[in-house]
Amino acid sequence: MSLKARMKKVVAASKDLKKETPREKAMREYEERKRKSEQMAENAYPCACGDFEACLKYAEVTSEETSDWLYEYRDALIEVAAERVNEKPDFKALHSEDVLQANIKKVYRYLEEKQVNAAIDPPGLENYEELKGMSRSEFESKVKEN
């Protein structure tokens, strides 16, 4: 075997060594999911309180489909939260998850529109702290009006 042929084999073998092993890939993906989950959790309540920057950060780490999927578990989240403080869950009341979902939807629409029209103004976001005590149906009516 010529020296050139042996060098090609060594180079090919070294490229294989540089590739990520399945374990390394799994660890990297886990760390990435963990980082995204932490960032979502960190920005969820500020987003529900109308913080536009927090909503942008939340939208960066999740897709609209993921946000919709998480919102499908609204009732389960409310039930678990109520059990933690030994209360009865109130599914008809407005919760931060409702406002978060409405705000993040507005931000996704804003980001879509911004691709077409860069001069668009940021959306007016709802503030959960100001809406406490409102029913979920009243809030949904208010959001539909806007």
Side-chain angles (χ1 to χ4, degrees):
M1 183 181 279
S2 72
L3 181 59
K4 191 173 185 179
R6 283 188 275 173
M7 285 299 293
K8 281 185 181 180
K9 280 189 170 187
V10 169
V11 168
S14 69
K15 285 183 182 175
D16 287 342
L17 291 175
K18 290 180 185 176
K19 289 183 182 174
E20 199 172 37
T21 66
R23 183 176 188 279
E24 291 170 336
K25 181 180 178 186
M27 290 298 293
R28 181 183 47 78
E29 289 173 350
Y30 167 76
E31 290 297 328
E32 188 175 317
R33 282 193 310 272
K34 182 179 170 186
R35 182 189 56 78
K36 285 182 178 183
S37 293
E38 288 170 353
Q39 195 168 0
M40 285 173 62
E42 180 181 306
N43 289 301
Y45 194 77
C47 183
C49 292
D51 183 344
F52 182 66
E53 293 300 319
C55 287
L56 287 176
K57 289 176 185 176
Y58 189 95
E60 279 178 18
V61 295
T62 188
S63 66
E64 187 170 6
E65 293 81 22
T66 302
S67 181
D68 292 342
W69 177 78
L70 288 171
Y71 188 66
E72 289 177 13
Y73 291 95
R74 171 195 183 271
D75 290 349
L77 294 171
I78 292 169
E79 190 170 346
V80 169
E83 286 176 2
R84 283 185 180 167
V85 292
N86 294 325
E87 292 180 359
K88 186 178 180 202
D90 185 2
F91 300 112
K92 292 183 180 184
L94 181 67
H95 293 275
S96 62
E97 291 84 7
D98 302 316
V99 182
L100 169 66
Q101 182 68 4
N103 284 348
I104 204 67
K105 285 284 191 185
K106 287 179 183 180
V107 169
Y108 284 126
R109 297 293 88 70
Y110 164 78
L111 293 172
E112 287 173 2
E113 186 65 30
K114 190 166 176 94
Q115 292 176 346
V116 177
N117 177 10
I120 189 169
D121 292 330
L125 301 176
E126 305 296 335
N127 185 339
Y128 174 67
E129 291 293 325
E130 295 171 359
L131 301 171
K132 280 185 181 176
M134 184 182 278
S135 74
R136 182 180 179 194
S137 59
E138 290 173 330
F139 175 71
E140 288 173 348
S141 298
K142 180 181 177 186
V143 169
K144 286 179 184 177
E145 288 175 7
N146 296 337

